[in-house]
Each structure stands twice: as C-alpha cells, then as structure tokens.
Amino acid sequence: MKPTKLKKMLLIVAGLFIGASSAQAQEVVLKAELGTPVVAAGARQTAFLKVSLTGFLLQGRGDRTPANIAIVLDQSGSMQGAKLERAKEAAIMAVDLLNDSDIVSIVSYDTTVQVIVPATPVRDKAEIRRAIQRMRADGSTALFAGVSKGAREVRKYMDGERVNRVILLSDGQANVGPRSATELGELGMSLGKEGISVTTIGLGAGYNEDLMTSLAGYSDGNHAFVDNADDLARIFSYEFGDVLSVVAQDLVIRIELKEGVRPMRLLGRDGEIFGSTVTTRLNQLYSDQEKYVMLEVEVPEGATGQLRDLADVEVSYQNMANQQKERLNDRVQVSYSASQQAVQQALVPSVVSTATRQVANEASKQALELRDKGQTQAAQKVLQESASYVREQAAALGGAEGAMLESFSDDVDQEAKAVVESEDWNRARKSIKAKQYKLEKQQKY
Amino acid sequence: MLIALVLLPLGFLGWQGVQMLDSSDAMQRVRSEQLVAARLKNVDASIQAYLQQLALDWTSRLPGWPLQAEQLRERRSQEIRVRQLFLLDAGGRRTFPNGEMSQAERRFVERLQMVWDDPSILYATDDSQRLEEQRAVSSLVSRSKTADSPSGRHGWSVWHWGTGTQLLFWWQAPEGHTLGLEVESARIKSDLISLLPDDPAQGEGYSMRLKDSAGQIIYQWGRNAIGNEAPLSSTPLAYPLSSWSLEYFAEADVGVNSADFGLLILFLSLTLALIGMAIYLYREHTREMRLAAQRVAFVGQVSHELKTPLTNIRLYAEMLGDQLEDNPQQQRYLQVITNESQRLSRLIGNVLNFSREPKIHISPVAVDPLIRMIVDNFRPGFTAKGIQVALDLQADRLVETDPDQLEQILNNLLSNVEKYAAEGKAVDIASAVEGGMLVVRVRDHGAGIPPSERKQVFKPFYRINNRLTEGVSGTGIGLTIARQQAHRLGGDLLLSDARPGACFELRIPLTVTP
C-alpha cells in the first residue's frame, strides 16, 4: 500500500517540523548589547547601545494574525490612465491575499472622499473587485481626508488582536485639506498612539516625500517610493507580506541608564529622553525580523578590570501568538581594559556595523537639509566625509561585516555624487528619502 | 397674419409663465434659504456635539489621573488626541513639565509662556477675554469658556499659533490643581472629517466645505466640482472653533427646476401645436392658390387658342354684312353674331389680362367718344333688357392713357350692369375731369352691394353669393381685372355708395407715366 506509506512518512516529517518549531519559543527575542563591551580605561568616551527585538517565526500559514486594513487610493486627475489601472490591479491582488478572518475597506479620494468598500470581512472578493474597478480618476487630492476616512473604517473593527493598518497610495501633492508635513506627522502620531499604522506609497515623481515619510514615520508604518506603476503590485505584496506576518504589537522599549551614564542621542528611530530614561515605541514587529533602537551613550571613565552596570532594558509588548501582554528584561554591562587589543577583540561587529550605518544615515539627512537650502557643495562634503567615516569603520572592523560596510560606503559615495550631479533631483530625492526611511525603521523592503 | 397667430398666444403664455415662475421663485428662495440655514446648523451642531463629548470624556477621566511626572508622560503617550499636557498646582505654579524635559516639552513650555506668567488667562470669563483679545497685538490670543461642575471647573481655551487654531482643554480639580491638555489639532480635523459625510456616489445637489481660521479647506463633501464660485451661504462655527467656518455651495435655483421644467414642456408643446396649425393653414392656403393659378393658366391657354377662330368669325361676319342685301331679318341675325362675338372677345381679353401681365401702350385718347362707342356696343344688350342709358359726358379733352385698358375697364363695368343690375332699368354714365384726374362714374339702379361685401367684390373669383348672382354665369374676375387695370394706369377703381344700386368710380391721371 504505497499511498498509506507515503502518508505516514509525510506525517512523520510534518511532525518533526511542528516539533521543531514549537520547541522554538513563541516570543520576541530581546537583545541589548554594546558595540564596544570593553572600553579603554581611564577616559570618558561614547559607546553605541543597540537594543534589538526579533520577531519569532510564525508556526503555520493559517496561523497568522488577522488583519484590519484600509486601502486608501488616490484617484485624482493625475492618476488617469495606466497609473490608476496598475493601482487597481495592485489593490485587487492585495485583497486576494486576505481571507474571511480579515477586514478590508477601500477608500478613494480626489477632491472629496468616497468610501467605495466600507470595512467588511473579506468574504465576497468579487464584489470588492467590482467596486475597485469602478474607480475613475478626476479632480484634486484630498489626501488628509482620505487617510482620515480610511482610519475611521479601520476603527470600526479596531481590535488589539488584529493588525490595524491604513495603506495610502498617492501620486501627487495634497492640495485639498491640511497639507503640511507637520500636520500629516501629527495625524500619524495620533493614529500611531491609537494602534493604527499608516503605510505610504508614493507613486511617480509628483508626490511630497516629506509629507509621506512623516505620516508613515510617526505612525510606524512603512514607506516606499515607486517610480514605475508596474512595480505597484510588487510593493503591495511586500506590504501585505509584512502586515500578515505581524507577531507583536504595541511594543514599548524603556532603557534606564545607570548612574553616571549619559544619553547622547538616538539614532534612527525616534524616542523620548528624560534624564537617564529613554523610551521608544514600535507599533508592530514582523515575523523573523529584527528592529532596533540605537542609542549613543557617554560612558564615564573607569579603572582597568572594572565592570560597570550600564543600563537596564525593559520591553513590554502584545504577543499576537497568544494575545498576552508580555515583558522582557535585559541588562548591559561594560568593562574597562587598558589593553587596546582587548578592546579591539571585544568589538561586536554587527552592532558597530549598524551603528555606523545609522550615523551615516544621520549624515545623509543633514546633507539633504543642506541640499534643500541650496548648499549643494556643503551637502556633498557632508556625504563625502560620511563615506570616508564608513570606510574607516569598515577597515577597523574587517571580516564579513567590514566588507559589507565597505560596499555600503560606495552607496554613500553615489549619494554624494547625486546631490550635485543628479539630472532628476526630484526623483533622486524621493529615492534617497525612501532609503533613509528604510534604514531608520529597518523596513524589510 | 399667421406669424402673429403663433406669436401672440406664445408671448402671452410666456409672460404668464415668467410671472408664475417669479412668484414661485421667490417662495422657493425663502424655502431654500431656510433649508441651507438648517443644513449648516445641523453640521455645526454635530461638531459641537463632538467637542462636548470630548470634554465630557476628559472631565470624567482626568480626576482619576495620577499626578507624578512619569505617569503623566505615560498618559500622554496613550491619549490619542493630546499632544502635550501640563499640571499646575493650586498656587498656579507649573509642576509638570518641569525639571528634566524632552525637547518637545521644552518647546511646549516656551509656547505657553503666557499661561505660566498668568494662569488666570485660562479661566478668564468671556467678557474679560474679549477685552484681552482686543488688546492683543500679537498673534498669540487666547479665549476661554468656563463650565462649573461639582467635580471641578473645566473649559476650552483657544490659541493661535503654528498651523492655526490650537485648542487647550483645562480641568481644575476641586483641590485646586489644574490639568491642561494641548489638543492635537490635526487629529481634531481628522475626527471631524470622519464625522462629516462621505461623498455620495450621486451628489445631492449641494456641497459643503469646512475651512480653518486661515481660510484653508479642511474638508469638503457633496457635489464634486466646486469651482471658484462664492458660497451661497457661510457661517462661522460655534465656540471654541469660532474662527473656522462652514460654507454652502449649490446652484441658486435648485428645487425650482422641476416646476420650471414642467412649464417649459407645456410652453414648448403649445408652441409646437401652434406652429403645426400655422403650417397646416399655410399649406391649405398655398394649395388653393396653386389650384387657382392652374385654373387661370388653363383658362388663359384655352382663351388664347379661342382668339384666332373668334377673330376669323368677326372678320367674316363683317365681310358678310358688307355683301348682304337689305334683308332686315338677315341683318338682325348678323348683328347678333357680331355682338356675341364681340362679347366673347371681351371675355377672352379679360381672361388673358388676368393670366398674364399685358403691356401698356400709351396714346392720346379722346375719352368721351370712346365712352360713346363702348356704350353703343352695349346698346343692343341694354335695349333687350330694357335698360335706359343716361350719359353725362364732361371730359371733353385728350387724356394720355392706354385706350385698350380703359375700354376693357368700362366694358367690365357695363357688362356687370347688364348682368346684375338689369332690374334697375337704368344706368348713369358720367365723365369729368376733377383735380387733375379723369373720373368716370358708372351707376346702376339695381339691387346694390351689401356693405359687408364691398371689400370682397374686387377679389378674384369672388361672387356675391345671393340671389343676385343666381342663374347668372360669370368668371368672377371682372372687377378684379378692372381694378388691376386702373392701378396699371396709375389710378384706382372705387365702389361708392348709391341708393338704390351701386356706383363704380374710375379715377385715372390725365397723363400716365409708365
């Protein structure tokens, strides 16, 4: 009886897999480490503290967090033609990835806002498809109102056990309703507090990238620059891949620095610093993905051989696997050594490398600001210095991480070139902005 | 005539319609103004309800809040509509944020400096605040409205900075400390947008727009296209968002449309009916005219064909008269033949005259002899019917005119007398020169022509329909031709009153300029 035998074998194999994955804890992994766990004795110095969170692997396909998504689509006049058709296809494809435990709503906006599919469990996909197909492009861009209505639809099924998200597509400047990056940022902040992330997808060269990254950034959503409408479907599938793999939500990271240790700055992710307490939040963590906070601290001087408590780290989050509020703790220590070699040997390459990238990212932001003010040469100088800094770090680090940093320095060089020579600065800026965002938020795509 | 027939009733109807529309317009305007006001008020009320709900929510929760910095920060990070918050102790001193502050907190402390300087600015009543507002030169203006309740006082305070109107909500505990919440204004806008209607697939014929203090659109809904037109109506929102406004857009005469439309349809169908009728009448008329013209053409053709044989008859009758012996019997027969063929040629002349425009040949004419000759021609007929002829000829001079035409006119008149007025037994024929005109009057003593028919007798093919014409044959074009000929000679043929009988008066100028 061959078939039964085969079945048996399959069962055993499947059992092995399940056994293996259930052996793996269904919880977030917290890791707090210094780039330089051993520092030179006898001097005050700075060090990078990386607090990273890694999402666990989801067990099976059917076993995922249900989603509650509002797709907010631009149907202003500029979307006419291929753009709108590709957007429709992307949205339809995205809806196909959902099932009846998910909620979806479709909102389109031009001068006004139409809720073309009010929030509903994804049962009748054909009806949703038809509604999307009916969209016609015309009018201005009431982006703020579109997001607001999308958020309202999400709110109808708002639930801590779901991934709540607004996915916004726009190809143009918001020209009806609030339109400043500040106001959209404020809206993003408020929605983020509520547990709704806004992912912003900018299409073509006409949108305002500052506004779009601000909205996504403050609500901890994703941001992407899609130059060619043909890539929309791909970006939508990445985005939905992210959304459907959320394993933890509402994460709060609290770093309590010990006496004598001073916080200098947060790199990348935003947070609040009060005295010796640093707090930052993440709306969600995706499966098998690392997100981190990089804090630069000042370490007081110490004697050789001294071991000093540097910080306590506490993380609280909503575990989507068991829907429990969970807590994680870690502590960081630093030791002092007179030996330069000991310091060098103790380096944690992954932390040094990410810290270097984040420092370079800060430089990139600064360069962009300079470029915006018209100080092209100054911007280029900042980036060139940044590139050589990255190369220095790469050389110091060596090994695989060093090689990767080396190639990253080439990217920085490219950027330094672009700020001066780019023929299409508008596009280049969008691309740089999206890259910065990706690094800052450790976005997967 | 036909055009007037169509235009007059249409004009009247149109005027009536406009009158009606005007009055219904006025009524509609009042009604739609009320509707607009109600709609605006409705929206304002729902915005008010939202703010009240917000205040109610906070006043119920704020008393339970812990007052330590750390917990306040924790609350702030959870309050979705709060950007920053502060705590004042009973003495009005700021206890949070204080000491170690984040960057955002430091900025917050800076922008609310006025409050730390004088916390009473928050609780100030309306009146004193209004004064404050008038005095304020800077863009930093605040105004408050206070509500007391057993669980403490609370109110809104309005500030203007940055991206426009900013709201502060404050609550003073019975113990004296005050919590102030700086509201995330973008979130308020977003909430209001969520609250306000979506755009329906089918517009309801009106649109509304919510504008902030800078006049920027926050949200608009309704009919998709609002151009640059001015709003039909606009109203400021109630406190605390009184610097925001609502605008209402619609076509001014929405609602009147249906009535308008009905009237228009009625008007159009009436127009069509009238035009249809006019066309029918016109076609009937032209058909008759065409038929008559055909008849005339036919008769003309036939008459022309008759002319040659008739001329031969007359010629040979005259030749026969010359050769005939003095046999009175034969002479009489020949006379009859001659008379009748003369009558026939007059008739033919008439018909030809009517059917084609004759040429006029002007020559000096001795009128009185001409009249005598014509009368002589008729004498046998008159004698046979017992008609006495009285001549009174005073036009003893030459007249420049066409003798053939003149003769034909008189022939027609006399022939009418012979046919229709024989019972009068007399005819008076007079000629004279009066005021540069030759006047010839032919007056019979017959039955006469009733006044109502007088105008018609000159029309072609018109024959007075009474016993007068019964049993008498006629073409019905005699008088028409006579008058036409009089016109051609530069004169006129008139029918004047005479009792009994009728009197035709021919007036032609002494010289004709063709």
Side-chain angles (χ1 to χ4, degrees):
Chain A
M1 283 288 190
K2 251 187 176 176
T4 33
K5 230 181 193 176
L6 204 75
K7 246 187 207 166
K8 236 182 211 171
M9 266 178 70
L10 276 174
L11 270 176
I12 290 165
V13 173
L16 273 176
F17 270 110
I18 291 166
S21 53
S22 55
Q24 194 183 14
Q26 291 283 299
E27 66 173 26
V28 170
V29 177
L30 163 67
K31 206 151 110 190
E33 49 190 344
L34 281 173
T36 48
V38 179
V39 296
R44 207 193 271 208
Q45 54 206 297
T46 64
F48 290 107
L49 170 61
K50 179 185 173 190
V51 177
S52 69
L53 296 167
T54 309
F56 46 87
L57 256 178
L58 280 170
Q59 271 184 343
R61 256 192 69 80
D63 200 21
R64 63 163 171 86
T65 313
N68 174 17
I69 300 175
I71 302 177
V72 181
L73 299 172
D74 191 338
Q75 60 168 2
S76 61
S78 55
M79 285 291 288
Q80 213 151 40
K83 276 186 183 176
L84 186 65
E85 290 315 307
R86 294 295 94 74
K88 285 180 186 176
E89 284 164 20
I92 288 169
M93 180 229 53
V95 170
D96 275 337
L97 296 174
L98 303 176
N99 61 40
D100 57 8
S101 61
D102 300 311
I103 308 295
V104 77
S105 56
I106 314 279
V107 174
S108 68
Y109 62 95
D110 39 60
T111 311
T112 56
V113 183
Q114 299 83 35
V115 177
I116 56 180
V117 179
T120 170
V122 186
R123 290 202 189 98
D124 191 353
K125 286 185 182 174
E127 179 52 44
I128 295 172
R129 214 172 293 138
R130 273 195 293 279
I132 293 173
Q133 286 296 4
R134 277 196 290 269
M135 282 170 59
R136 293 283 173 274
D138 191 20
S140 311
T141 309
L143 187 143
F144 187 94
V147 175
S148 297
K149 293 282 188 192
R152 184 194 65 186
E153 293 304 311
V154 167
R155 238 168 260 138
K156 287 181 182 169
Y157 286 85
M158 190 73 184
D159 186 348
E161 296 181 7
R162 291 181 187 280
V163 184
N164 304 297
R165 182 164 299 211
V166 174
I167 298 173
L168 169 73
L169 172 74
S170 179
D171 80 326
Q173 306 280 341
N175 49 21
V176 176
R179 65 195 65 175
S180 67
T182 317
E183 279 176 294
L184 270 299
E186 284 176 359
L187 177 63
M189 171 83 93
S190 178
L191 293 176
K193 280 182 183 178
E194 212 177 348
I196 301 175
S197 291
V198 184
T199 285
T200 59
I201 299 170
L203 176 60
Y207 69 93
N208 178 342
E209 61 271 26
D210 293 338
L211 180 157
M212 296 283 265
T213 49
S214 183
L215 177 57
Y218 282 107
S219 63
D220 204 22
N222 291 325
H223 169 71
F225 163 44
V226 180
D227 196 7
N228 186 340
D230 293 338
D231 294 334
L232 270 181
R234 191 166 53 82
I235 295 298
F236 264 71
S237 71
Y238 287 155
E239 171 63 16
F240 272 66
D242 256 11
V243 170
L244 299 181
S245 69
V246 167
V247 293
Q249 284 196 142
D250 196 13
L251 302 104
V252 181
I253 303 171
R254 224 178 115 91
I255 305 170
E256 194 72 52
L257 296 175
K258 296 295 181 188
E259 214 187 312
V261 184
R262 219 157 56 80
M264 305 283 289
R265 60 172 170 168
L266 274 166
L267 290 170
R269 210 166 274 282
D270 219 13
E272 279 188 314
I273 303 177
F274 306 103
S276 59
T277 309
V278 179
T279 317
T280 189
R281 282 152 217 283
L282 281 76
N283 259 14
Q284 63 269 306
L285 190 64
Y286 306 110
S287 172
D288 198 24
Q289 191 193 349
E290 183 194 70
K291 298 239 174 193
Y292 58 80
V293 184
M294 186 65 70
L295 178 66
E296 191 175 15
V297 293
E298 188 186 71
V299 184
E301 61 175 273
T304 308
Q306 189 190 340
L307 187 66
R308 178 188 272 275
D309 278 340
L310 191 94
D312 282 337
V313 179
E314 187 192 74
V315 174
S316 68
Y317 70 97
Q318 177 80 16
N319 188 329
M320 302 309 277
N322 55 14
Q323 299 298 345
Q324 299 285 312
K325 196 89 190 156
E326 294 188 344
R327 275 176 193 283
L328 299 167
N329 287 290
D330 201 356
R331 54 194 272 231
V332 189
Q333 290 182 315
V334 66
S335 59
Y336 295 86
S337 168
S339 149
Q340 187 62 40
Q341 203 192 356
V343 171
Q344 188 65 35
Q345 264 174 1
L347 279 183
V348 182
S350 66
V351 177
V352 174
S353 164
T354 44
T356 307
R357 283 164 198 265
Q358 289 298 346
V359 170
N361 208 24
E362 294 296 319
S364 170
K365 287 185 201 169
Q366 194 196 340
L368 208 60
E369 263 174 49
L370 288 169
R371 175 67 172 74
D372 288 345
K373 285 185 209 150
Q375 301 173 26
T376 320
Q377 297 304 326
Q380 188 174 42
K381 191 156 171 272
V382 166
L383 285 171
Q384 280 164 347
E385 280 168 6
S386 171
S388 60
Y389 166 76
V390 173
R391 262 193 294 277
E392 257 169 48
Q393 296 293 311
L397 212 53
E401 287 286 355
M404 268 152 72
L405 263 190
E406 185 70 44
S407 86
F408 177 71
S409 75
D410 293 341
D411 290 353
V412 182
D413 275 332
Q414 286 293 323
E415 209 176 299
K417 236 185 197 158
V419 289
V420 179
E421 295 163 22
S422 176
E423 279 170 21
D424 190 352
W425 171 243
N426 183 24
R427 271 202 169 69
R429 190 179 190 277
K430 287 179 170 56
S431 158
I432 292 171
K433 196 88 187 178
K435 218 186 284 173
Q436 286 172 0
Y437 188 89
K438 199 174 147 181
L439 191 54
E440 185 180 311
K441 298 276 187 174
Q442 299 97 50
Q443 185 176 314
K444 221 195 261 175
Y445 63 87
Chain B
M1 232 272 286
L2 269 178
I3 290 173
L5 194 76
V6 174
L7 287 186
L8 266 174
L10 279 186
F12 178 73
L13 272 174
W15 181 70
Q16 280 285 316
V18 166
Q19 288 277 312
M20 210 172 101
L21 278 186
D22 263 4
S23 65
S24 85
D25 240 18
M27 217 167 78
Q28 200 73 37
R29 215 172 298 126
V30 171
R31 219 183 305 155
S32 84
E33 266 164 24
Q34 284 169 349
L35 187 70
V36 169
R39 278 177 178 156
L40 287 171
K41 210 174 158 188
N42 206 7
V43 173
D44 191 17
S46 61
I47 292 174
Q48 275 302 301
Y50 161 78
L51 289 171
Q52 270 162 18
Q53 185 56 43
L54 215 56
L56 194 69
D57 175 48
W58 276 325
T59 45
S60 68
R61 289 192 295 119
L62 286 180
W65 280 20
L67 303 177
Q68 286 75 41
E70 199 175 328
Q71 279 109 326
L72 284 177
R73 287 194 174 107
E74 181 68 24
R75 296 283 167 163
R76 186 184 62 200
S77 73
Q78 288 158 359
E79 284 293 323
I80 57 180
R81 291 180 185 84
V82 176
R83 188 188 296 142
Q84 288 294 341
L85 59 84
F86 65 82
L87 173 64
L88 302 179
D89 67 14
R93 280 178 301 274
R94 185 179 81 239
T95 54
F96 178 87
N98 212 349
E100 300 253 41
M101 284 187 273
S102 71
Q103 261 197 346
E105 285 170 350
R106 272 195 292 276
R107 281 199 298 272
F108 173 58
V109 168
E110 274 166 34
R111 64 178 174 254
L112 285 191
Q113 194 58 48
M114 272 173 86
V115 175
W116 325 135
D117 291 347
D118 177 17
S120 68
I121 196 173
L122 282 179
Y123 326 122
T125 62
D126 259 358
D127 285 349
S128 62
Q129 260 331 113
R130 216 163 274 138
L131 282 175
E132 181 85 17
E133 207 168 326
Q134 283 160 5
R135 263 186 279 128
V137 196
S138 74
S139 63
L140 197 70
V141 173
S142 90
R143 218 182 96 173
S144 273
K145 204 169 198 174
T146 308
D148 286 288
S149 75
S151 58
R153 299 197 297 160
H154 69 270
W156 294 100
S157 174
V158 185
W159 298 73
H160 294 280
W161 54 263
T163 48
T165 304
Q166 310 286 335
L167 294 182
L168 268 182
F169 179 81
W170 58 268
W171 168 79
Q172 190 175 35
E175 300 85 26
H177 66 266
T178 302
L179 269 169
L181 310 177
E182 187 188 47
V183 179
E184 193 80 86
S185 59
R187 177 56 189 245
I188 298 298
K189 289 177 183 173
S190 178
D191 280 348
L192 292 182
I193 290 171
S194 304
L195 186 83
L196 294 169
D198 306 338
D199 205 35
Q202 250 77 50
E204 289 170 54
Y206 71 93
S207 314
M208 285 203 208
R209 203 182 244 180
L210 179 62
K211 277 185 162 177
D212 66 12
S213 38
Q216 290 279 350
I217 302 163
I218 295 169
Y219 182 57
Q220 72 181 37
W221 67 99
R223 185 165 51 96
N224 211 355
I226 300 180
N228 293 325
E229 75 244 44
L232 203 62
S233 178
S234 79
T235 176
L237 294 184
Y239 188 86
L241 293 175
S242 30
S243 63
W244 291 12
S245 61
L246 264 179
E247 292 181 346
Y248 184 98
F249 295 84
E251 275 115 22
D253 52 356
V254 161
V256 185
N257 259 345
S258 55
D260 257 358
F261 198 62
L263 266 175
L264 197 71
I265 292 269
L266 191 74
F267 189 73
L268 276 177
S269 48
L270 261 169
T271 312
L272 281 177
L274 280 170
I275 288 176
M277 207 170 78
I279 288 176
Y280 174 75
L281 286 176
Y282 176 73
R283 286 185 57 155
E284 273 300 291
H285 178 72
T286 50
R287 196 168 63 91
E288 269 173 22
M289 289 298 282
R290 211 168 49 240
L291 282 177
Q294 276 169 6
R295 208 158 59 184
V296 168
F298 175 71
V299 171
Q301 195 69 34
V302 171
S303 308
H304 190 75
E305 295 296 322
L306 292 177
K307 233 167 108 179
T308 324
L310 185 61
T311 314
N312 285 343
I313 293 172
R314 283 178 67 180
L315 184 69
Y316 286 99
E318 269 167 40
M319 277 160 57
L320 187 62
D322 291 345
Q323 294 173 18
L324 218 56
E325 308 298 319
D326 281 346
N327 186 336
Q329 185 77 5
Q330 286 175 348
Q331 282 292 349
R332 199 166 57 82
Y333 290 168
L334 192 61
Q335 191 59 45
V336 171
I337 292 173
T338 311
N339 283 348
E340 287 306 304
S341 51
Q342 269 172 359
R343 202 154 77 93
L344 193 55
S345 75
R346 278 203 307 278
L347 236 125
I348 289 169
N350 258 351
V351 170
L352 290 180
N353 225 314
F354 183 73
S355 59
R356 55 196 70 160
E357 184 99 347
K359 285 214 170 84
I360 293 188
H361 307 281
I362 306 291
S363 60
V365 178
V367 181
D368 287 350
L370 182 68
I371 295 175
R372 267 195 199 94
M373 188 202 85
I374 295 166
V375 172
D376 284 345
N377 280 342
F378 275 91
R379 224 177 271 279
F382 283 169
T383 316
K385 292 196 170 173
I387 298 170
Q388 296 290 322
V389 180
L391 287 178
D392 175 18
L393 303 180
Q394 309 278 339
D396 189 14
R397 57 168 289 178
L398 292 176
V399 174
E400 296 268 324
T401 190
D402 184 333
D404 291 342
Q405 304 283 332
L406 187 57
E407 183 186 346
Q408 215 165 357
I409 296 171
L410 292 175
N411 277 340
N412 272 320
L413 292 178
L414 292 180
S415 147
N416 277 353
V417 171
E418 187 188 352
K419 275 193 258 176
Y420 307 116
E423 67 203 48
K425 301 294 180 200
V427 59
D428 308 335
I429 300 168
S431 71
V433 175
E434 293 174 5
M437 300 285 272
L438 166 71
V439 180
V440 181
R441 291 192 185 85
V442 177
R443 191 245 158 117
D444 63 60
H445 296 263
I449 297 163
S452 60
E453 310 271 9
R454 280 190 191 159
K455 270 190 181 161
Q456 316 289 344
V457 293
F458 292 107
K459 289 200 169 160
F461 310 116
Y462 186 88
R463 295 181 70 213
I464 299 171
N465 193 16
N466 58 18
R467 60 183 175 79
L468 193 68
T469 57
E470 248 159 56
V472 184
S473 68
T475 53
I477 54 172
L479 281 173
T480 311
I481 290 168
R483 177 173 259 196
Q484 272 177 9
Q485 286 169 324
H487 287 166
R488 275 188 209 123
L489 298 179
D492 204 357
L493 179 65
L494 303 167
L495 175 59
S496 61
D497 219 8
R499 247 165 241 272
C503 175
F504 287 91
E505 184 179 300
L506 172 70
R507 303 174 75 90
I508 52 171
L510 296 179
T511 51
V512 176
T513 42

